[in-house]
Amino acid sequence: MTVATKIATPDFLPNLLDWPISRLDRTFRAYVVEPAKYDPKVHPDLFQKALSAFVAAPPDPLDQFTNVSDVKSPEYFDLLTFPEAFISPDVLSNVLEGLGSIERLGCVHVGLRPTQQDTNHLFLKTEILTFITTLRSIPGIVQADLNEFEAWAKQQASTSRFNLGCLFALDDNHNVRICLHPKLVQSKFEFQPSPEHIMEEANLLTVVTLRPANREHKTVVIQPLLCSDALDLATKRGTRAPLEAMQRDADCLGKTPPDHIDVVSVATCTPQIPGPSKLTPRFRTWHADFREAFLRSASKDSHSRHHFAVFILSNFLLGPGNSPGGLSGIFFPSQPSPYPFPDGITLSCYGRPKTGAENNWSQPDVDFIGDKWEVRGFIAALDPMSAAPDTVGRMFGFTLNRLLRDRSSWAAHSGVGACTIRSWP
């Protein structure tokens, strides 16, 4: 008698992309956009404002005597991150269709929603497949980038709803590259009494390798995530969260998975923890689950592919229901600059005072600069208390002098610098 053998379903399916890109040098310039509040109707305008800072063509000279060399070209960036559940497929498609006239564009990471109505940020299978069809019709898009995602989407139940994000860029051949990725870890806000507000957890593990045309520069590997994907939460299927899965479940990525992650880009919509302060009435800190995720990635063998990873996070200043949010910025698993950061940037360090005590996170108002602290890592982020009342959004820019994997342990200190803040009234 022949016994039927049940074929095991893999915990994860691969969404492994490889893009040829231009690298100007060994630095990494990143920006995070922090909207003043969660309000889907105004997100497209802020999305356009932020992109226009980088893709707008320089103005024509006013006359024949104008020095063209004085006309400033748009600034280059490597990564621009927006929050979760931010723009609709229509808004994104319009932007992608206009990229043909742009000289260059770094990676843009943004959370998606079916429409700009403030109703539901989750996609049905039919909406996902319609979106893919639209994307495939856009000139210049590399069709193969969508294959793994589309194959995954076709396998899903028609009644399931998913949270989606997108990473896109112009590659070295001036082709439009696009990576769609679903959320893998359901947050507590995505399980509600009404079925249409319950998010189904996906099993598509996504990684993008940026491969410089100039072989003098190393690859940059980005893992794009959506909010609770970065946390070590229990999943419905009992599988690992995406950070640990990159180590424990790497076999799903084929014979040659990336052996490191340089950047984890996290589009978030999460409340933050307010607390008392010695110098100001209130401050906020990234809540404990995120801070624990940063520490595990820097130190645990279960996260060894992330030991040299920086986390770049974008959040709403005020989330749904005007919940306190903010703190868009970067976690850097090394020492900060010994010099002060500009006004409007709050700093929280993981380490301990040299006078003793256990390793812990400093409050943003603790003076750790100089020789007072042994610092292992830090968060540099927009100070939620410094936003002007009439601001609709802010953008925090910073440069990594070297990605950590590209830095000699014998070299002089290099970290986060060239910090800028831009506000839109």
Side-chain angles (χ1 to χ4, degrees), residues 299-321:
S299 61
K300 300 298 183 183
D301 282 348
S302 59
H303 294 64
S304 62
R305 277 183 166 82
H306 293 83
H307 281 350
F308 298 98
V310 298
F311 285 70
I312 295 174
L313 309 102
S314 177
N315 194 21
F316 296 94
L317 180 60
L318 293 176

Side-chain angles (χ1 to χ4, degrees), residues 61-75:
L62 297 177
D63 54 50
Q64 60 180 327
F65 303 107
T66 301
N67 187 349
V68 178
S69 64
D70 292 338
V71 179
K72 197 172 182 180
S73 297
E75 184 179 352

Side-chain angles (χ1 to χ4, degrees), residues 122-184:
L122 303 178
F123 288 77
L124 286 166
K125 175 180 177 177
T126 55
E127 294 171 321
I128 295 174
L129 295 180
T130 299
F131 181 28
I132 294 172
T133 299
T134 300
L135 291 174
R136 288 194 181 280
S137 69
I138 295 175
I141 276 194
V142 176
Q143 301 287 325
D145 285 348
L146 295 165
N147 289 350
E148 297 291 352
F149 179 83
E150 184 175 27
W152 165 84
K154 288 180 177 179
Q155 297 177 16
Q156 306 312 307
S158 60
T159 56
S160 296
R161 295 178 183 266
F162 296 92
N163 190 345
L164 302 184
C166 175
L167 184 78
F168 66 91
L170 279 177
D171 71 12
D172 192 54
N173 301 313
H174 209 257
N175 293 319
V176 179
R177 309 308 298 255
I178 186 161
C179 167
L180 295 180
H181 64 99
K183 193 173 183 180
L184 279 68

